[in-house]
Amino acid sequence: MTLSHIHRFEPGPNSRSLLLLHGTGGDEHDLIDLGRTIAPGAPLLSPRGQVREGPANRFFRRMAEGVFDIPDLKARTQALGDFVAEAGKTYGIEPPVALGFSNGANIAASLLLLRSEVLSGAILMRATLPFEPVSLPDLAGKPVLILSGQSDPMAPASKELAAVLRQAGGNVRHEVLPAGHGLIQQDLILARDWWTESGSADALVRS
Ligand code: MLT
């Protein structure tokens, strides 16, 4: 069966895998090096967003910067959730941890709100609350790391996002870094350390 999204899959020896979700204008190759740095040895599943904004790939439509097309976002979230579930069977991987940047972080947040069963956690870099959920998902114990930039104009509701995910039971850590929308070295260090720590906690829960 052909999977719905153009994607890249990089196998790895570890059992925990990463779902890489690029920012506006990126593609399935964009975050591979970042994924390898944060989670060495993890299988990497990296789809390309199916929306075009001019020449740029995105994961959902927007009317203007920061003004999201919510019905489109919700439909694309469902389609991405189906892709992740199908790809998991095809490649033999467990529900991955999402690693999203910007537009990719926003659809990762939407996956947590609407299709949390396809993820085992998330690293959300420069994410905002994409919409107010009608009802809360059950994120009991799911580890989530939110990395925000203190002068990021494109993610105005990162605190609200953290609050909603906590209310849903997620094990949320929110760090606000001295940065804008772009990533800095501290993002990589915090994400790598969080990956290692959340992996040990996961192993304890499973044993
Ligand atoms: C979005 O549209 O998801 C955010 O504004 C970030 C971006 O520009 O991609």
Side-chain angles (χ1 to χ4, degrees), residues 22-25 53 57-62 64-68 101-107 126-128 152-156 181:
H22 62 77
T24 300
E53 189 181 80
N57 300 313
R58 284 177 54 83
F59 284 96
F60 57 89
R61 293 186 201 289
R62 62 180 168 183
E65 202 170 283
V67 186
F68 301 157
F101 168 64
S102 185
N103 181 247
N106 290 338
I107 198 152
R126 308 299 183 269
T128 194
D152 179 2
M154 281 146 104
H181 197 64

Side-chain angles (χ1 to χ4, degrees), residues 12-185:
N14 294 356
S15 57
R16 282 201 312 154
S17 57
L18 272 183
L19 171 69
L20 303 175
L21 299 168
H22 62 77
T24 300
D27 65 18
E28 65 276 22
H29 308 295
D30 247 41
L31 299 188
I32 297 285
D33 285 348
L34 185 67
R36 287 200 180 114
T37 303
I38 289 171
L44 304 175
L45 175 64
S46 187
R48 183 191 298 178
Q50 293 185 316
V51 166
R52 301 283 165 273
E53 189 181 80
N57 300 313
R58 284 177 54 83
F59 284 96
F60 57 89
R61 293 186 201 289
R62 62 180 168 183
M63 269 75 86
E65 202 170 283
V67 186
F68 301 157
D69 178 337
I70 301 297
D72 184 72
L73 166 58
K74 290 185 175 175
R76 305 255 176 210
T77 301
Q78 294 297 346
L80 184 62
D82 293 344
F83 163 78
V84 175
E86 283 302 321
K89 287 185 216 149
T90 302
Y91 297 116
I93 55 169
E94 304 262 309
V97 171
L99 167 60
F101 168 64
S102 185
N103 181 247
N106 290 338
I107 198 152
S110 184
L111 275 174
L112 285 173
L113 295 173
L114 298 177
R115 293 294 299 271
S116 62
E117 82 283 1
V118 302
L119 297 180
S120 61
I123 303 171
L124 307 174
M125 294 173 149
R126 308 299 183 269
T128 194
L129 179 65
F131 54 86
E132 288 285 346
V134 177
S135 59
L136 286 177
D138 179 7
L139 299 181
K142 267 190 211 218
V144 179
L145 174 65
I146 303 173
L147 295 172
S148 304
Q150 68 185 14
S151 54
D152 179 2
M154 281 146 104
S158 62
K159 283 196 186 122
E160 288 81 349
L161 172 63
V164 164
L165 298 180
R166 275 194 190 111
Q167 241 183 308
N171 178 9
V172 178
R173 178 168 165 200
H174 184 199
E175 298 284 345
V176 182
L177 307 182
H181 197 64
L183 299 182
I184 60 172
Q185 188 67 17

